[in-house]
Amino acid sequence: MKHNHYGNPANDLVEIINQNRTAQKLERLNDNPGLGCMALQYVELCKGNCSGNSAVNCKPPTDDFTEVFAPNCGVELPTIGTITGHIVGCQSKYTEPSLAFANVLVKDKKSLSVLRNKSHSGVGVGLIGFHKGPFFWCVLFSNGGTNSSFVLEDRGEGIKQKKGCYSGSAFPCNAGHR
């Protein structure tokens, strides 16, 4: 069962997250492009911080969400909701979303409990590969209303995103292809 929106692996990962949640009788999460774009900003900031066990040693300052990521994405500041959790992972090369889910992102009890948190209502995924470098995935969760939080200006048309891809985006994505 493949949902390929323009071959965007970030959208595929959102679907896998939702399948995992509904199997646990939890709510499906809304795929939020503003959150997805911010997830991509998060991992762009973390390049060079990939350790051997697929962990990312990188904690952007909380202010970066409102002062850097949101403006870069064209998220309207009054719509910024609460980020209720995040999962970040990396590996040496790109793998299919289902493998990234199991081997990179949700590989321990801590990340599983983030994934299954009942306070989430929205999700966004960003992923990016660096030249000769590792491949990063980031999942951000939020608890805002569907249409009221992390809203993109002009439906995201002003985003200057040159590489990587994020969920909920209508743009073709160039990250998952070698």
Side-chain angles (χ1 to χ4, degrees):
M1 191 170 124
K2 270 200 112 155
H3 293 282
N4 249 356
H5 305 293
Y6 306 102
N8 182 339
N11 285 331
D12 295 342
L13 189 63
V14 167
E15 190 52 39
I16 292 164
I17 286 167
N18 274 325
Q19 286 168 358
N20 187 283
R21 284 179 61 93
T22 53
Q24 300 294 316
K25 310 279 186 279
L26 294 165
E27 293 285 307
R28 280 181 68 85
L29 302 174
N30 298 302
D31 190 351
N32 183 312
L35 215 48
C37 181
M38 289 173 72
L40 180 54
Q41 295 287 316
Y42 188 116
V43 286
E44 269 202 84
L45 196 80
C46 292
K47 61 177 174 257
N49 289 290
C50 186
S51 74
N53 61 352
S54 74
V56 177
N57 311 314
C58 173
K59 291 266 184 291
T62 314
D63 288 352
D64 279 10
F65 284 97
T66 49
E67 291 172 17
V68 181
F69 305 159
N72 284 356
C73 284
V75 172
E76 297 173 17
L77 287 180
T79 71
I80 292 185
T82 306
I83 302 217
T84 49
H86 70 278
I87 304 173
V88 191
C90 61
Q91 68 208 97
S92 58
K93 60 187 189 306
Y94 176 76
T95 54
E96 287 303 308
S98 57
L99 291 173
F101 177 84
N103 302 339
V104 181
L105 292 167
V106 186
K107 59 186 196 308
D108 56 27
K109 284 193 171 72
K110 187 168 162 258
S111 51
L112 195 60
S113 72
V114 172
L115 176 78
R116 295 181 176 167
N117 187 322
K118 288 185 174 66
S119 66
H120 306 324
S121 60
V123 62
V125 172
L127 58 119
I128 189 166
F130 294 99
H131 182 62
K132 290 192 170 65
F135 207 92
F136 287 83
W137 299 79
C138 176
V139 186
L140 290 182
F141 299 97
S142 73
N143 68 357
T146 318
N147 300 321
S148 58
S149 63
F150 300 98
V151 177
L152 294 172
E153 295 159 7
D154 306 327
R155 298 184 316 286
E157 311 217 336
I159 298 168
K160 306 273 185 291
Q161 196 56 55
K162 298 285 178 278
K163 53 188 189 292
C165 56
Y166 62 93
S167 63
S169 157
F171 301 111
C173 147
N174 59 8
H177 309 291
R178 288 156 198 67

